[in-house]
Amino acid sequence: MRFFWTFIWALAVGSVISYILSSMAGNPFNVVHTLALAIIFTLAIYLLGEGVLKEQEE
């Protein structure tokens, strides 16, 4: 379930970032680019959370 919510939040944040940046550049909003950005965010969060930033066991 945590993977599902991670993707939903990445999609929401990616959509806002994509919309704002495309509006500032004067380009139309592209849903495909937004989904690609959300997938990249999700993969980065999974890799950081599961591998790089694991808590050290004492």
Side-chain angles (χ1 to χ4, degrees):
M1 191 66 170
R2 65 185 172 142
F3 297 119
F4 174 73
W5 287 111
T6 302
F7 180 72
I8 295 298
W9 276 105
L11 184 62
V13 170
S15 296
V16 170
I17 291 171
S18 179
Y19 179 75
I20 290 172
L21 291 178
S22 65
S23 293
M24 288 173 62
N27 297 330
F29 180 69
N30 193 340
V31 177
V32 176
H33 292 160
T34 302
L35 289 174
L37 185 64
I39 291 170
I40 291 169
F41 281 170
T42 304
L43 291 175
I45 291 167
Y46 290 159
L47 291 174
L48 287 174
E50 296 296 322
V52 177
L53 300 177
K54 272 201 163 190
E55 292 185 24
Q56 304 245 346
E57 294 182 22
E58 295 181 28

